[in-house]
Amino acid sequence: MVRLIVNRLLLSIVLVVISSIAIFFLMSLVPGDPARSILGAAATPDSIERLRQQLGLDQPLLAQYGSWLLGALRGDLGESVFTGDQVVTLILARVPVTASLILLSTLVIAALGTALGLLSAVRGGVLGKVLDVVSLVGLALPSYWVAILLVALVAVALRIFPATGYFAFADDPGRWLLGLILPVAALSLGGVTIVAKQMRDSAMDVLARDYIRVLRATGVRESSIVLKHVLRNSALPSLTVVGLTVVGSLTGAVFVENVFVLPGLGTLVTQATTSHDLPVVLGVGVFFTLFVIVVNLAIDLLYGVLNPKVRVS
């Protein structure tokens, strides 16, 4: 396990550099000039050029990236071009919102997907066919469309849950949870159906094995067989799907946060991209890359916990 963690840490450096290079040069292709946006349409060419020099935008792209990378290696992700705030400060202020959304979505996806998959495998019949249909629907509907639909039906028409807004957990846990129910539902729908289908297929495979028949023949209770043997042996392939779903939820979170007006990293990177605020976009990109690395490492470690025979390197 120690070797695995060291390898992941070394790999994280390479991935962060590669992702930052990709983000930097892709952003350079996006039309727009931060200096012109800051000064407005009435700005003179001379004032725009002076501001570009102050911001370092007149330097070659390689020089700009090299300057940013040196600062990032020291823990300095730069300053926002528009507000002048430290990028690290902006990210840390938004992390609790995005972390709450993704954490709750992960719990819903893992718990509900596992329960539905097991139930479908044990009961089968109509429930299995319904799960197949729901899985196709969940995969076909993008999270932002589901979010808009939930706002229109549940928040606006029925007025059951709030359509927008976020309350910090420390200020009001009840309103924090209430405000995240619809965003979590929109972000979790596709993941729940994918995990449920994978769990059902894995559980059905385990249920068909000889040792399960032996356990039943010796009088072991069905509930014990399902919880102690089927669930444990079916969890490994489903765990991979959960990890992939969590990573994919980062993209969904960007759209969901904008629909529900949540002050998270999704809305931050959207605003920064629109205004061509490159340091902020790079900072959020680095954070997302590190998040993916941590999730993959956690999945590898859980593999070893659930199945000691599995060796990761």
Side-chain angles (χ1 to χ4, degrees):
M1 289 299 179
V2 175
R3 182 182 177 185
L4 171 66
I5 296 175
V6 173
N7 289 338
R8 286 292 187 271
L9 291 176
L10 294 176
L11 180 62
S12 66
I13 299 175
V14 178
L15 290 177
V16 167
V17 173
I18 293 175
S19 64
S20 63
I21 291 175
I23 294 171
F24 185 89
F25 287 99
L26 286 175
M27 281 294 297
S28 67
L29 300 176
V30 177
D33 186 349
R36 186 178 297 276
S37 300
I38 294 173
L39 295 177
T44 63
D46 290 340
S47 62
I48 293 176
E49 186 59 31
R50 285 196 298 271
L51 182 57
R52 285 179 57 84
Q53 292 176 1
Q54 294 175 9
L55 297 175
L57 300 177
D58 60 327
Q59 300 178 7
L61 290 178
L62 287 176
Q64 293 182 45
Y65 176 76
S67 177
W68 177 87
L69 183 60
L70 290 176
L73 293 176
R74 298 193 300 267
D76 180 13
L77 296 178
E79 300 177 350
S80 169
V81 173
F82 286 84
T83 65
D85 295 326
Q86 290 290 324
V87 173
V88 173
T89 302
L90 292 174
I91 291 175
L92 292 178
R94 304 279 187 128
V95 164
V97 182
T98 302
S100 299
L101 179 60
I102 293 180
L103 178 60
L104 290 177
S105 299
T106 302
L107 293 176
V108 170
I109 289 170
L112 190 56
T114 300
L116 289 175
L118 274 178
L119 183 62
S120 175
V122 173
R123 297 293 177 85
V126 177
L127 184 58
K129 295 178 180 179
V130 171
L131 182 59
D132 287 334
V133 175
V134 174
S135 297
L136 292 175
V137 174
L139 289 173
L141 298 180
S143 56
Y144 69 87
W145 190 88
V146 177
I148 295 173
L149 185 64
L150 289 175
V151 169
L153 294 180
V154 181
V156 177
L158 301 178
R159 297 184 179 181
I160 299 176
F161 299 111
T164 60
Y166 175 83
F167 292 90
F169 180 83
D171 295 337
D172 193 332
R175 299 185 73 177
W176 168 81
L177 182 59
L178 190 67
L180 286 174
I181 288 178
L182 291 185
V184 168
L187 194 59
S188 304
L189 177 62
V192 168
T193 57
I194 295 173
V195 173
K197 195 172 188 315
Q198 174 63 52
M199 190 67 188
R200 186 198 66 177
D201 294 341
S202 300
M204 290 180 66
D205 179 66
V206 175
L207 285 169
R209 295 179 183 175
D210 293 337
Y211 77 92
I212 297 295
R213 298 191 186 97
V214 172
L215 290 174
R216 285 171 172 165
T218 55
V220 179
R221 290 183 301 175
E222 190 69 19
S223 59
S224 179
I225 293 175
V226 172
L227 295 178
K228 291 184 178 180
H229 300 278
V230 178
L231 177 59
R232 185 180 183 89
N233 288 284
S234 304
L236 286 176
S238 299
L239 185 61
T240 302
V241 177
V242 172
L244 293 174
T245 304
V246 173
V247 171
S249 66
L250 282 177
T251 304
V254 173
F255 296 103
V256 170
E257 285 182 5
N258 280 277
V259 171
F260 291 98
V261 198
L262 299 177
L265 293 175
T267 52
L268 177 63
V269 74
T270 301
Q271 296 166 1
T273 303
T274 303
S275 59
H276 215 277
D277 197 341
L278 184 56
V280 175
V281 176
L282 281 170
V284 176
V286 168
F287 179 85
F288 281 174
T289 303
L290 293 175
F291 175 81
V292 172
I293 293 171
V294 170
V295 170
N296 288 330
L297 177 60
I299 295 298
D300 289 337
L301 294 177
L302 283 174
Y303 258 95
V305 172
L306 292 175
N307 188 356
K309 295 180 180 180
V310 176
R311 293 292 181 263
V312 288
S313 59

